[in-house]
Amino acid sequence: MTPALQLIAVRKSFGAAQIIQGADLAVAAGERVALIGPNGAGKSTLFNLISGRTVPRSGQILLHGQPIHGKKPFEIYRAGLARSFQTSNLFARLSVFENLRCSLLWSRGYGYTFWRLLAGLQDVRQRAEQVMAQVQLDGKRDVLAAHLTYAEQRALELGITIAGGASVILLDEPTAGMGVHEAARFVQLIRGVTQGKTLLIIEHDMQVVSAVAAKIAVLVAGEVIAFDTPDAVRANPRVQAAYLGQVA
């Protein structure tokens, strides 16, 4: 079967610095994968390449078998891949509902249709309300994003990510900055809203990794050195050497 997301010999450099060095990865449709690696391994750079924020120097990135490398972020989003970021990127002075509605306009084909009354866009309203319920913010419908708690802001960010109906979801450290109990609740939220979708998540908390992902991809020095089940990755000598400094 064609992978939902595939990287083939992807390379990226910034000046003389080689950040991604021939990364290969194939994520099957519906698979949940955690991308882990030491600081500076290139995880966020890889996400930027997949989502179109930067362009690879060479190699291929395929979404459901179709090349997306070199495409603009909005084109990749419309093709069915959405991502979140390490820090919340919200309209602070808009409500929860308004943030979700804004995120839906382009995906629903409305664009800058300033002559339409937003209140009349029933499909947008219904989808925004559906997503609010999914991320458990329906009780905060009219609360400004700036007045949400940190965990609620992250939930809203998650809602914006899934609102367009993308089949492949990339989450960049979604539980960073949360306490243990908040993170545990957020993991359950992630599992619920990404049910049936392909998930690739950057995460440092191994408890979160084990609760969310069925497989782990290990990125070291810009190269995927292991991609397997958690137990197999834990026993991999190259992974042990990268994390523990052991001789492989």
Side-chain angles (χ1 to χ4, degrees):
M1 294 180 63
T2 302
L5 178 65
Q6 186 172 15
L7 281 65
I8 304 173
V10 173
R11 295 180 179 275
K12 179 65 178 178
S13 59
F14 295 97
Q18 304 292 324
I19 307 301
I20 304 298
Q21 304 189 60
D24 293 291
L25 183 66
V27 182
E31 203 164 41
R32 296 170 180 264
V33 177
L35 179 65
I36 69 171
N39 290 333
K43 299 183 295 295
S44 290
T45 298
L46 200 63
F47 262 33
N48 287 339
L49 290 169
I50 295 170
S51 60
R53 291 177 64 85
T54 54
V55 179
R57 190 188 74 189
S58 61
Q60 298 181 69
I61 303 174
L62 307 176
L63 180 64
H64 301 299
Q66 300 300 312
I68 58 172
H69 47 280
K71 291 186 179 293
K72 298 183 184 301
F74 76 87
E75 293 174 325
I76 294 172
Y77 176 77
R78 290 179 181 177
L81 184 146
R83 69 164 291 185
S84 71
F85 294 85
Q86 289 182 14
T87 57
S88 295
N89 188 22
L90 305 171
F91 293 110
R93 296 186 180 183
L94 295 184
S95 69
V96 168
F97 174 76
E98 289 165 339
N99 268 275
L100 287 169
R101 184 168 61 180
C102 284
S103 73
L104 283 163
L105 290 176
W106 274 101
S107 65
R108 294 277 162 156
Y110 293 112
Y112 295 117
T113 52
F114 55 87
W115 60 87
R116 284 192 177 98
L117 292 176
L118 291 179
L121 303 179
Q122 294 300 316
D123 57 336
V124 171
R125 179 186 60 77
Q126 291 172 1
R127 177 58 178 162
E129 290 177 346
Q130 179 186 42
V131 173
M132 271 193 301
Q134 283 184 281
V135 296
Q136 301 174 13
L137 289 177
D138 41 337
K140 303 281 185 175
R141 185 186 195 280
D142 298 317
V143 176
L144 299 185
H147 297 162
L148 298 174
T149 67
Y150 176 72
E152 289 170 343
Q153 288 180 349
R154 297 302 287 171
L156 178 55
E157 180 89 10
L158 179 61
I160 289 171
T161 305
I162 68 165
S167 60
V168 179
I169 304 294
L170 276 57
L171 302 180
D172 194 347
E173 298 188 37
T175 66
M178 294 185 187
V180 175
H181 297 298
E182 283 182 328
R185 287 195 296 269
F186 204 73
V187 162
Q188 295 305 312
L189 194 61
I190 291 170
R191 290 176 62 89
V193 302
T194 61
Q195 187 69 36
K197 299 181 183 294
T198 305
L199 177 65
L200 183 61
I201 178 173
I202 295 176
E203 186 54 71
H204 291 287
D205 187 330
M206 294 308 295
Q207 287 186 324
V208 173
V209 169
S210 62
V212 172
K215 296 179 76 173
I216 297 175
V218 184
L219 188 71
V220 175
E223 178 189 0
V224 178
I225 66 168
F227 179 43
D228 212 324
T229 63
D231 287 342
V233 165
R234 194 176 296 114
N236 187 300
R238 292 188 70 189
V239 175
Q240 294 174 359
Y243 274 91
L244 304 177
Q246 298 174 356
V247 177

